[in-house]
Amino acid sequence: MSAPDTSDTSDTSDTSSVARVLVGVSGSPGSRTALCRAAVEARGTGAELWPVLAWEPPGGELSARRSPAVSYLVPEWERLARERLLAALDDVFGGVGTGFAGQALIVRGAPGPALVAVADRENDLLVVGAGHRGRLRRALRPSVGRYCLAHAGCPVLAVPPSPLEATLASAHRRNTWRVRLDTGDMEKEFATVPPEARNLRPGRGHT
């Protein structure tokens, strides 16, 4: 997921009249950070909050069109996508409800185009996760954030990953390889994170 970028990359359009805050959710740590930031933006503007999870058939749409069995599998893929979205909401809000007006959506399609299609109003704000990615990963899967910034018809806020993600990923690798974990180093890293970034669960907003 080099050191994470700690500055937001966003469209500079005025967001004072935002009616909906839409946020791309995939279940990844980065998307949960974006979901938290979207909740903050919705609370600050009095807007609705719309978490959106885009899903594609395994192998992509082109591969799916070649298989006659796809129509039978679509309900199962939709169920799995819905479960992933609900799990992300539970991780961030402590339940399937967000405490905001709006609704959670699952949309079939590539994440970038799907998010741009849903955020189709001028007074929308689209929030997406962003961060450094290796060359191989960029080549295999284009950045959703870059796509949205280039194609969306509304303001886009690209949220960098939490400063804790790199530390937690390192701890996970050490645990996988059974390397002794230096808790002192983790405490030092945690101490550098701003207090507001340590709590991943935003307070309740509008009902």
Side-chain angles (χ1 to χ4, degrees), residues 53-57 61 107-114 141:
L53 187 145
W55 68 274
E56 293 182 281
E61 293 291 348
V107 181
R108 179 172 174 175
R141 192 171 185 84

Side-chain angles (χ1 to χ4, degrees), residues 12 28 33 39 41 53-54 68 81 100 107 119 125 127 153 194 201-202 204 206:
T12 56
S28 69
T33 300
E41 295 294 329
L53 187 145
F100 293 86
V107 181
L125 172 65
V127 181
R201 290 190 176 181
R204 294 290 181 179
H206 304 284

Side-chain angles (χ1 to χ4, degrees), residues 68-90:
V70 165
S71 59
Y72 298 100
L73 297 172
V74 166
E76 176 65 11
W77 292 332
E78 289 181 339
R79 182 187 66 80
L80 293 173
R82 185 176 296 106
E83 288 182 354
R84 191 149 42 102
L85 177 55
L86 293 179
L89 295 178
D90 182 63

Side-chain angles (χ1 to χ4, degrees), residues 22-189:
L22 300 101
V23 53
V25 179
S26 66
S28 69
S31 76
R32 289 196 292 269
T33 300
L35 180 55
C36 290
R37 179 58 182 271
V40 171
E41 295 294 329
R43 185 181 304 110
T45 59
E48 297 180 358
L49 180 63
W50 291 59
V52 182
L53 187 145
W55 68 274
E56 293 182 281
E61 293 291 348
L62 181 60
S63 175
R65 285 196 293 268
R66 296 172 178 171
S67 173
V70 165
S71 59
Y72 298 100
L73 297 172
V74 166
E76 176 65 11
W77 292 332
E78 289 181 339
R79 182 187 66 80
L80 293 173
R82 185 176 296 106
E83 288 182 354
R84 191 149 42 102
L85 177 55
L86 293 179
L89 295 178
D90 182 63
D91 285 344
V92 172
F93 297 102
V96 297
T98 66
F100 293 86
Q103 65 184 85
L105 300 176
I106 58 169
V107 181
R108 179 172 174 175
L115 291 173
V116 168
V118 174
D120 58 355
R121 307 175 189 174
E122 291 185 358
N123 58 352
D124 284 341
L125 172 65
L126 178 56
V127 181
V128 293
H132 293 295
R133 309 194 314 161
R135 292 182 180 178
L136 178 59
R137 191 172 181 183
R138 287 199 301 268
L140 294 176
R141 192 171 185 84
S143 167
V144 174
R146 289 182 183 276
Y147 183 94
C148 293
L149 286 166
H151 296 90
C154 66
V156 177
L157 177 62
V159 181
S162 165
L164 290 177
E165 283 187 32
T167 301
L168 294 175
S170 175
H172 177 72
R173 288 193 297 270
R174 284 176 169 270
N175 184 59
T176 300
W177 291 99
R178 300 184 184 277
V179 177
R180 183 178 179 181
L181 183 64
D182 190 334
T183 56
D185 286 345
M186 290 192 68
E187 289 177 358
K188 292 177 183 178
E189 291 287 344

